[in-house]
Amino acid sequence: MKTSKKILSGLSVAVLTTSLAACGGDEYEEAALPEEPTGYECDDWDWDDVTESYYCDDDRSPHYGSYFLLGNLFRSKSALKNSSTYKSYKSNGGATGSVSNGSKSGSSKSGLGSGSKGGFGG
């Protein structure tokens, strides 16, 4: 009987841990998105996973169906995709590249396997 209780207790902990980890992942993804646009007559901005930008989904807004990216408003998805702003944004990694904590070219490597010289004795 004691063994059954230990197994059930361990199983409960595993399920709880998995559930909490799944919730934490959702929070991270939302936190990684750029901030919603402000200062436009649109009360409902939605994230478009394909273009990695916001679009106005407020059918009462004069900007309904417009896309917002890096401070620019585009009247349609095709206008967004044809813009040099969008092409540059996507070539730099899109939302994940723009939210990262630094530039790729400015990174430095050190430690084991980095190819750096030095260490003990010079």
Side-chain angles (χ1 to χ4, degrees):
M1 186 69 168
K2 289 182 182 182
T3 304
S4 297
K5 286 184 180 181
K6 286 182 182 180
I7 291 172
L8 286 175
S9 176
L11 183 59
S12 297
V13 169
V15 169
L16 181 61
T17 302
T18 303
S19 298
L20 290 175
C23 290
D26 291 342
E27 289 174 18
Y28 173 76
E29 286 181 25
E30 281 193 31
L33 294 178
E35 288 187 36
E36 285 188 23
T38 57
Y40 295 92
E41 297 175 49
C42 181
D43 293 329
D44 186 14
W45 291 100
D46 289 334
W47 181 254
D48 180 25
D49 288 327
V50 175
T51 61
E52 296 184 86
S53 63
Y54 285 101
Y55 67 95
C56 180
D57 197 27
D58 178 359
D59 60 0
R60 297 175 313 225
S61 169
H63 302 296
Y64 178 70
S66 295
Y67 284 76
F68 180 86
L69 178 67
L70 301 174
N72 299 302
L73 194 63
F74 301 90
R75 298 301 286 158
S76 66
K77 186 184 276 192
S78 62
L80 169 70
K81 286 187 167 186
N82 290 325
S83 72
S84 59
T85 302
Y86 179 76
K87 291 173 184 172
S88 174
Y89 173 70
K90 290 301 274 188
S91 70
N92 288 319
T96 54
S98 66
V99 176
S100 67
N101 59 0
S103 67
K104 295 175 186 173
S105 63
S107 65
S108 63
K109 296 179 181 179
S110 63
L112 294 174
S114 66
S116 63
K117 296 184 180 183
F120 295 108

